[in-house]
Amino acid sequence: MAPELEDFDLTGLKQLAVVDWRNNHHCRAVAASLVQGAYISERNRQKSQDPQVQRPRWWSSFHFEVKRVLIDDKDSSIYGVVYEFKHTNPNNLPECAPKCVIAFRGTILKSSSAKQDMKLNIKLLTAELRKDNSRFKPALDAVKEVVKEAEPANIWLAGHSLGSAIAMLVGKSMAQEEGKYLKTFLFNPPFLRSSLSKNINSPRLENVICSTKNVIKAGISFVGGDHFWEKRHHQFNKLSPWIPNLFVNQDDPICSGYIDHFRNRKIEDEIRSIKSAIKAAFVKDPQLPIYLLPKAYLTISKNSSSPNICKIREAHGLQQWWYQMSIGPGFADSSTKVLIDDAIPVGEP
């Protein structure tokens, strides 16, 4: 993270003096700023600075205080922050304002955090992140503790990149296991689906692959019975009331797959995907793939320039979701020419 990105006076959301908590653009920008606060808290720790004292304007400007930092016991890094809303009149909070926000940072490629961050990225790629005891499970426990103190409607989850994957898994777990549906902001969430037949140009070979898939599905049904597929449908349906906000950039290869996914997906094929079904049946992990959501509010950011390494880095960056925000249908950054659309409801009706 460049030093100027840490300076609220240079790049922060200082022009949003009064937050309208009913305005989706305001909420998006504030949530992104709070995630930025989680990044900065870890950066401060690496510099041996107090993470709760340095640069508090990333959260204090919007009347939040740091209630707790979430620490990875493997490398002592700060990977999340629990914020609490502190208003001048605590008995009369602004309408729709969250009482608590739990924000998770993404990967920081510095010596003291890179190794563990990359290990977790590999766990994400191999669908093992849900079993992680250093971040996911403590994060879920922390959210459950917050839910005991406040109504779910007053709690937000937010995350960027790897942090958005953790926030998504926490949100899914709260929905499926607790019946609690938390407002969730997922910035550049990794889309990790792979399809063997997606790029096959030979109709004959594609038919062979489809036939093989059908045989495997039949075998799974024989081993596990039809109740196996029914259980997966039940998991999917339990997520329906939870509608997270997905923020993706069309030029970001890490998250842009969600755009095509929601345009062309086939629910039955997704639920019965071979890779996840085999894992669920034989490795005893019944969870659906992380990317599979019944519904979402999808917001797309667009870069006008042709993608290159620099542009891809910007496309995956968090800054675009708050920087130079105008009060209106979106905002444009004069240097990177980024345009952000309004959210589009996607998924099952």
Side-chain angles (χ1 to χ4, degrees), residues 265-318:
R265 70 177 185 166
K266 297 178 181 179
I267 296 299
E268 187 65 25
D269 289 344
E270 299 286 359
I271 293 175
R272 292 178 174 242
S273 68
I274 295 302
K275 182 178 179 180
S276 63
I278 291 176
K279 183 178 180 64
F282 299 106
V283 189
K284 297 184 178 179
D285 180 6
Q287 301 298 326
L288 293 166
I290 184 174
Y291 65 83
L292 192 55
L293 299 165
K295 305 174 188 176
Y297 294 112
L298 184 66
T299 300
I300 300 173
S301 176
K302 302 174 182 177
N303 286 355
S304 61
S305 302
S306 58
N308 53 43
I309 293 177
C310 181
K311 289 299 179 182
I312 290 174
R313 189 182 300 116
E314 292 174 353
H316 190 65
L318 178 62

Side-chain angles (χ1 to χ4, degrees), residues 141-244:
D141 290 340
V143 171
K144 288 180 179 179
E145 287 296 319
V146 173
V147 169
K148 290 180 182 178
E149 302 172 7
E151 291 295 322
N154 295 327
I155 299 171
W156 288 4
L157 297 175
H160 174 246
S161 193
L162 172 62
S164 70
I166 294 174
M168 181 181 288
L169 286 175
V170 169
K172 278 190 167 186
S173 296
M174 293 300 295
Q176 291 177 323
E177 299 169 13
E178 305 281 333
K180 310 291 186 184
Y181 308 106
L182 309 182
K183 190 167 184 177
T184 304
F185 298 82
L186 305 172
F187 299 102
N188 301 87
F191 184 81
L192 302 173
R193 184 186 69 178
S194 60
S195 176
L196 182 62
S197 59
K198 183 176 180 180
N199 297 315
I200 300 296
N201 294 321
S202 169
R204 184 175 180 180
L205 181 55
E206 188 171 354
N207 288 335
V208 171
I209 292 172
C210 290
S211 298
T212 304
K213 286 182 176 182
N214 290 333
V215 170
I216 295 174
K217 289 177 182 178
I220 292 174
S221 295
F222 178 77
V223 173
D226 288 339
H227 69 276
F228 174 81
W229 301 116
E230 292 173 1
K231 183 175 182 179
R232 292 173 72 79
H233 278 282
H234 180 65
Q235 285 183 337
F236 184 79
N237 292 333
K238 284 188 72 173
L239 285 174
S240 292
W242 181 59
I243 310 178

